[in-house]
């Protein structure tokens, strides 16, 4: 996204090594614990509330990583030149154009089909092959979704523009790393916890919808499919424990 200079590259590499070491020691055990909770639920019917509780665990872990990045991100951000910020802006523009092509320009039916194919692949990786009734259920759930590609596109662009403005402000005002860290921290939390309004309502609606849909589909699975899910969750735990031990 940004073409770093030699000194910036070296610093970013050191920061990444430190982040990964912290993540292995501190975060991976917590992720394993969340997977163990999911494994305990998998053999039985589940409720949307239980799914949302697991989703909250994931969100907490993602926010923890973002907060850990506050300081090193700020230290690098205040060294970016206008040319580097322009490179980032062009990358955002390319990503936005790709998103419009992949989603916004598609008809509602094409969007639904694309999402269904993605969900089918994810669920069959987790449960094994879905039968026709389960596929029909997944198709109905996808068709009922409140997903709005145009709204997502608008919010993405808003957050990207906010980031560009912030970086240019750092350069123009000679912002200190400490002040930049506070600004980046606030920016991250505005994304994680949006202010009351239409976007927050949409985000919450999509979360609740996802929890309902996961529970509904899981409750339609057969015992052997749930056992495959249990094994998949155990495999994830094994992989993470092996990674943490390195």
């Amino acid at each position: 996204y940004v073409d770093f200079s030699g000194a910036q590259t070296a610093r970013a590499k050191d920061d990444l090594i430190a982040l990964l070491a912290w993540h292995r020691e501190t975060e991976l055990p917590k992720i394993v614990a969340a997977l163990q909770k999911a494994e305990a639920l998998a053999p039985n019917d589940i409720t949307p509330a239980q799914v949302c509780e697991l989703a909250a665990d994931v969100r907490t872990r993602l926010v923890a990583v973002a907060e850990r990045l506050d300081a090193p991100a700020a230290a690098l951000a205040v060294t970016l030149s206008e040319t580097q910020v322009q490179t980032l802006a062009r990358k955002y523009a390319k990503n936005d154009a790709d998103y419009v092509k992949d989603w916004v320009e598609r008809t509602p039916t094409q969007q639904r089909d694309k999402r269904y194919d993605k969900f089918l692949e994810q669920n069959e990786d987790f449960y094994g092959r879905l039968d026709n009734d389960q596929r029909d259920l997944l198709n109905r759930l996808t068709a009922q979704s409140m997903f709005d590609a145009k709204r997502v596109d608008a919010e993405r662009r808003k957050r990207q523009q906010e980031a560009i403005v912030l970086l240019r402000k750092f350069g123009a005002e000679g912002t200190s790393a400490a002040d930049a860290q506070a600004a980046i921290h606030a920016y991250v939390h505005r994304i994680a916890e949006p202010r009351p309004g239409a976007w927050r309502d949409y985000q919450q609606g999509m979360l609740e919808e996802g929890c309902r849909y996961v529970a509904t589909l899981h409750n339609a699975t057969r015992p052997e499919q749930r056992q495959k899910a249990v094994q998949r969750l155990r495999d994830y735990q094994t992989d993470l424990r092996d990674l943490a031990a390195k």
Side-chain angles (χ1 to χ4, degrees):
Y1 281 75
V2 176
D3 293 329
F4 285 143
S5 66
Q8 290 170 330
T9 298
R11 178 161 196 163
K13 182 178 180 180
D14 289 344
D15 289 340
L16 179 60
I17 290 172
L19 175 69
L20 292 176
W22 166 81
H23 195 265
R24 284 195 299 271
E25 180 179 354
T26 304
E27 288 299 302
L28 289 187
K30 295 174 182 178
I31 298 173
V32 169
L35 290 170
Q36 288 173 332
K37 287 171 61 176
E39 179 190 337
L41 294 173
N44 308 304
D45 282 358
I46 58 177
T47 67
Q50 288 172 316
V51 179
C52 277
E53 183 178 343
L54 293 173
D57 289 341
V58 173
R59 177 185 176 280
T60 298
R61 303 277 56 82
L62 292 174
V63 171
V65 173
E67 289 179 339
R68 186 74 180 188
L69 280 169
D70 281 353
L76 276 172
V78 297
T79 70
L80 295 180
S81 67
E82 174 59 23
T83 299
Q84 289 174 312
V85 175
Q86 289 175 2
T87 299
L88 177 61
R90 286 193 297 270
K91 182 62 176 177
Y92 280 158
K94 181 181 183 301
N95 288 348
D96 292 339
D98 289 343
Y99 186 85
V100 168
K101 181 179 178 180
D102 290 342
W103 291 103
V104 178
E105 291 181 349
R106 291 176 182 255
T107 66
T109 298
Q110 290 172 332
Q111 290 181 13
R112 182 175 68 246
D113 290 346
K114 183 179 174 70
R115 296 185 79 224
Y116 169 79
D117 289 343
K118 179 180 178 181
F119 294 152
L120 179 63
E121 180 181 0
Q122 292 172 339
N123 279 283
E124 291 197 328
D125 179 67
F126 194 61
Y127 291 112
R129 182 173 175 80
L130 302 186
D131 62 31
N132 289 338
D133 288 342
Q134 292 165 336
R135 290 183 175 213
D136 287 344
L137 173 60
L138 181 60
N139 196 30
R140 291 196 303 274
L141 293 173
T142 306
Q144 295 166 8
S145 176
M146 63 181 288
F147 173 71
D148 185 338
K150 290 182 179 179
R151 178 173 286 186
V152 173
D153 180 52
E155 184 66 19
R156 279 163 48 94
R157 292 171 188 268
K158 177 182 176 182
R159 294 307 178 193
Q160 290 165 357
Q161 183 60 27
E162 188 177 353
I164 294 298
V165 169
L166 200 60
L167 292 173
R168 284 184 168 141
K169 180 180 179 182
F170 294 163
E173 298 182 359
T175 306
S176 69
D179 288 343
Q181 180 178 347
I184 290 172
H185 181 86
Y187 172 76
V188 168
H189 277 267
R190 283 195 297 275
I191 296 174
E193 192 65 37
R195 297 185 180 98
W199 174 251
R200 179 169 176 168
D201 292 343
Y202 172 78
Q203 191 177 65
Q204 183 63 31
M206 285 295 293
L207 173 62
E208 293 173 358
E209 175 187 288
C211 295
R212 289 195 308 273
Y213 288 7
V214 168
T216 299
L217 185 62
H218 178 82
N219 294 345
T221 56
R222 301 184 302 275
E224 63 269 23
Q225 291 174 313
R226 296 183 186 191
Q227 186 54 45
K228 179 175 174 59
V230 167
Q231 187 57 54
R232 178 68 75 186
L233 290 164
R234 288 174 180 169
D235 290 343
Y236 293 156
Q237 294 169 52
T238 298
D239 290 344
L240 292 180
R241 290 191 182 101
D242 290 345
L243 182 60
K246 291 182 180 180

